[in-house]
Amino acid sequence: MNARCFSGVAISRGVAVGRARVIGRIAAPTEPIAIAPNLIDAECRRLERAFDATQRELTRVRRQLPRDVPSEVGDVIDMHILLLKDESFLADTRALIRNRSVDAAWALKLKHDELEAVFAAMQEAYLKSRFEDVHQVISRVQLKLQGAKSSPLRAQRWAGAIVIAHEISPTDLSEFARLGVVGIASVSGGPLSHSAILARSLKMPALMGLSPTALTALRDGDPVALDGARGELYVRPGLTLQAELLARRIKESGRERALSRVRKLPAVTRDGVGITLSANVEIDAEIDQALKAGADGVGLYRSEFLFVGRATPPDEDEQYAAYAQVLRKLAPRPVVIRTLDLGSDKAFLPGLKPAVNPALGLRAVRLCLRHPALFKTQLRALKRASIHGNLRILVPMLSGLSEIAQVRRLIRQVESALAAAGIAFAPNTPLGGMIEVPAAAIAAQAFARRLDFLSIGTNDLIQYTLAIDRGDESVAHLNDPLHPAILKLLKRVLDAGQREGKPVSLCGEMAADPTYTRVLLGLGLRDFSVSPAALLELKSSIRRASLSDAETLVAPMLKSARPRRYLAALNDA
Ligand code: PEP
Ligand code: MG
């Protein structure tokens, strides 16, 4: 029989071949069961037992997390445990059993629907998406009410399996990795979800955005194969396809071996120009990955990720500990820590009014300047940590020059207060700005004059220049890093940096895509910052490029209305 192929979004590269383990949506009850008044107490106790059992199960999973799992996964499980311990969550559900004389599963479904409506009404995209956690916790309790002993079944049923599921939580994924699952495909989830990040760091082939029909078309035990780089899931692969998949696996492991060979080699072009390769860091595990991959430093530490997934912001000491740790580990290499880029799709501050249009609202430096106490706490933590390594502070989403002056004033205030209290800090921490708003790119020279370095954020620069919401899949096809406007802006910023003698790096996803390495080199970029997982591939792409060829071929590209036409010639040179 010919293989049927389901396509989804490519999440984590690698080819996996195995037997399907299909996990459908956890069945919520479709109608209530009436509970007689004399049985209400017993039904409430049944609910409490299900909560307790779920909590014990999660505590066990937390304890047994594999060592190489990023700390964020533990944090997510802790958050789920906290939710189960929340007395009002249990009390409200119990009240529903009593007031409506319904069974525990129905009461839990009512509570689920009520919370879903509350989250759906939230404006903040990040907060809205946290309903996923509530849903996962309630689903686990439903399973317990339905009599499942434990959701992670016996090991022999999972080893070598490819899990096909409606959704896969980070908790489930770390458990699957421990039990020997070789690949995952889920209906829900996107490339920036916690589970996607975890799959990549565990090197587990994965795709998401699978059609729900896959869940009904597939049976447990069906032979399946998954190509995470292509985002494809094959059912009953025939002999020809199996051979093709084997060839892809061999190619993939050859690629990994070849890449590991460049680990110790310098990042120089064929004509001998040295390039700086730094790492973007957002989870703790990436600090060690950056060191392992031989990064020249951290080019972007997204500090807002310390704030994500928690009810209250981390205090000064907690932030200080996190910054000091990354500085110490990387010393003497530079570490660029970006001040809070909260708002928009990132994270939230409890008590903040939702923005009318979060991407254009009180985000990043704007939010920090509106809440100086919050900002100063971060600046104090940063300045205190500065004695532990080579710190540079980066300010996101600058649009006006006055923002730089205001940030410098706050830094001076923080330094005076620290000095008065006799607390040590390093003087003259370089201050840089992200160029990710078109206005800042157009006026780059004025920004370069007032700052010590620039960092181009193409993710936002493309979003704002081409007016395409980066979180909206329906306009994703319009995202074009080679748009003539983008190329002109990049050139303008790089030239401005050079004229003012200020270093310019690029830390958006464009830097990590080898398709654009030569374009960026040709435009004048000498400093790239990418996720540690992409670093070796970028280095290898740089080592294959000739800078003088790149410069020659980028020149006509800059003048063209259709720059993409030159890409093949540039990349073949
Ligand atoms: C960018 O905008 O390119 C960038 C690196 O920042 P972030 O993706 O965190 O907005
Ligand atoms: Mg940005």
Side-chain angles (χ1 to χ4, degrees):
M1 193 191 292
N2 273 344
R4 181 167 178 193
C5 174
F6 291 98
S7 300
V9 179
I11 293 291
S12 173
R13 68 190 311 150
V15 173
V17 179
R19 297 266 163 189
R21 281 302 317 271
V22 185
I23 308 172
R25 213 184 223 305
I26 293 159
T30 50
E31 51 185 27
I33 299 171
I35 302 291
N38 60 332
L39 294 177
I40 291 279
D41 281 346
E43 191 61 8
C44 287
R45 281 198 297 279
R46 201 167 75 83
L47 177 75
E48 284 156 20
R49 279 198 303 276
F51 266 67
D52 284 348
T54 311
Q55 201 178 306
R56 279 198 304 278
E57 180 181 285
L58 285 178
T59 310
R60 181 186 58 73
V61 173
R62 175 79 170 92
R63 227 183 13 248
Q64 295 177 348
L65 277 184
R67 282 182 167 278
D68 51 354
V69 163
S71 61
E72 278 65 20
V73 180
D75 296 346
V76 171
I77 302 177
D78 285 343
M79 190 159 71
H80 289 190
I81 295 174
L82 266 181
L83 198 62
L84 285 164
K85 283 185 175 162
D86 182 323
E87 194 37 44
S88 67
F89 181 27
L90 178 60
D92 288 357
T93 318
R94 235 193 263 120
L96 283 165
I97 299 178
R98 285 192 191 285
N99 299 342
R100 305 202 183 188
S101 304
V102 291
D103 62 306
W106 187 255
L108 201 56
K109 179 199 169 331
L110 293 177
K111 185 72 196 158
H112 174 279
D113 296 351
E114 177 192 313
L115 289 170
E116 187 167 25
V118 171
F119 276 77
M122 291 174 179
Q123 299 265 344
E124 183 66 60
Y126 175 77
L127 251 192
K128 219 180 217 173
S129 73
R130 291 335 309 148
F131 178 70
E132 197 186 315
D133 291 303
V134 177
H135 172 74
Q136 283 166 5
V137 169
I138 291 183
S139 300
R140 276 182 183 268
V141 181
Q142 284 288 15
L143 262 181
K144 291 284 176 258
L145 286 171
Q146 288 163 22
K149 291 261 178 304
S150 145
S151 57
L153 302 178
R154 290 190 314 277
Q156 60 269 34
R157 301 188 59 194
W158 294 97
I162 293 179
V163 172
I164 321 266
H166 194 275
E167 63 196 71
I168 295 175
S169 70
T171 317
D172 292 333
L173 181 49
S174 49
E175 183 77 341
F176 289 151
R178 196 176 65 79
L179 295 174
V181 165
V182 294
I184 57 158
S186 67
V187 174
S188 75
L192 296 179
S193 65
H194 287 310
S195 298
I197 293 169
L198 178 60
R200 286 192 289 270
S201 80
L202 290 171
K203 295 201 163 86
M204 166 94 75
L207 72 88
M208 291 178 173
L210 187 67
S211 157
T213 52
L215 292 179
T216 39
L218 278 156
R219 295 273 166 276
D220 258 359
D222 277 348
V224 282
L226 185 156
D227 185 331
R230 296 182 185 213
E232 288 178 346
L233 175 74
Y234 313 99
V235 188
R236 285 181 281 278
L239 281 178
T240 320
L241 182 55
Q242 282 183 36
E244 156 78 22
L245 288 170
L246 185 62
R248 281 188 220 164
R249 271 174 128 173
I250 292 169
K251 197 167 156 203
E252 180 70 19
S253 58
R255 184 187 150 273
E256 295 236 323
R257 263 202 314 280
L259 283 182
S260 69
R261 279 199 288 274
V262 301
R263 196 184 301 273
K264 293 232 158 65
L265 299 177
V268 284
T269 60
R270 265 183 7 233
D271 40 357
V273 180
I275 304 296
T276 304
L277 291 191
S278 304
N280 292 352
V281 166
E282 51 206 49
I283 55 177
D284 273 356
E286 280 174 324
I287 302 175
D288 293 327
Q289 283 175 26
L291 286 168
K292 218 167 127 200
D296 293 318
V298 166
L300 173 66
Y301 179 99
R302 289 180 160 105
S303 68
E304 59 276 6
F305 281 87
L306 295 173
F307 288 62
V308 171
R310 44 191 294 165
T312 51
D315 65 14
E316 182 184 317
D317 284 344
E318 192 178 339
Q319 290 188 57
Y320 162 77
Y323 306 148
Q325 168 179 253
V326 59
L327 282 162
R328 261 192 232 109
K329 281 194 173 180
L330 267 291
R333 284 161 283 211
V335 175
V336 177
I337 300 188
R338 181 170 73 184
T339 58
L340 292 174
D341 190 0
L342 291 167
S344 190
D345 64 332
K346 290 282 178 46
F348 66 102
L349 274 184
L352 263 194
K353 232 177 71 211
V356 179
N357 180 344
L360 301 181
L362 203 58
R363 177 190 161 182
V365 67
R366 302 168 177 186
L367 185 132
C368 286
L369 292 173
R370 179 65 67 83
H371 295 273
L374 169 88
F375 196 21
K376 276 179 155 180
T377 302
Q378 175 168 47
L379 293 172
R380 270 180 71 96
L382 282 168
K383 287 297 316 192
R384 279 175 56 200
S386 64
I387 54 170
H388 296 291
N390 186 354
L391 171 68
R392 295 171 192 190
I393 297 177
L394 177 65
V395 184
M397 215 206 168
L398 289 171
S399 59
L401 296 168
S402 69
E403 288 160 345
I404 303 173
Q406 291 177 69
V407 173
R408 286 209 187 272
R409 194 173 321 122
L410 287 175
I411 292 178
R412 278 197 302 276
Q413 286 174 12
V414 163
E415 287 176 342
S416 310
L418 288 174
I423 298 171
F425 61 89
N428 306 324
T429 307
L431 183 71
M434 292 222 35
I435 303 297
E436 47 187 353
V437 173
I442 293 166
Q445 195 160 349
F447 282 82
R449 202 168 297 147
R450 288 162 179 80
L451 290 160
D452 302 311
F453 65 96
L454 303 180
S455 181
I456 309 176
T458 42
N459 304 342
D460 277 315
L461 186 60
I462 294 173
Q463 142 162 287
Y464 292 128
T465 307
L466 304 186
I468 44 171
D469 189 326
R470 58 193 268 197
D472 184 346
E473 271 174 35
S474 65
V475 286
H477 62 288
L478 299 174
N479 182 324
D480 180 13
L482 292 189
H483 189 292
I486 301 297
L487 292 184
K488 287 190 171 64
L489 287 180
L490 293 178
K491 177 86 180 117
R492 196 177 173 87
V493 180
L494 287 158
D495 286 352
Q498 199 173 34
R499 269 198 300 274
E500 292 297 322
K502 305 288 172 67
V504 181
S505 75
L506 197 152
C507 59
E509 289 303 301
M510 185 181 183
D513 187 338
T515 317
Y516 306 121
T517 308
R518 292 176 190 211
V519 177
L520 294 173
L521 288 172
L523 288 171
L525 184 71
R526 301 289 178 267
D527 190 341
F528 294 65
S529 191
V530 300
S531 100
L535 214 126
L536 293 182
E537 187 164 13
L538 173 60
K539 193 197 274 187
S540 135
S541 159
I542 285 168
R543 290 179 58 81
R544 288 194 307 273
S546 143
L547 187 63
S548 60
D549 286 353
E551 279 168 350
T552 311
L553 286 156
V554 161
M557 223 177 186
L558 268 170
K559 294 199 193 103
S560 169
R562 281 192 240 127
R564 200 166 277 279
R565 285 203 313 209
Y566 294 85
L567 191 62
L570 177 62
N571 285 343
D572 289 345

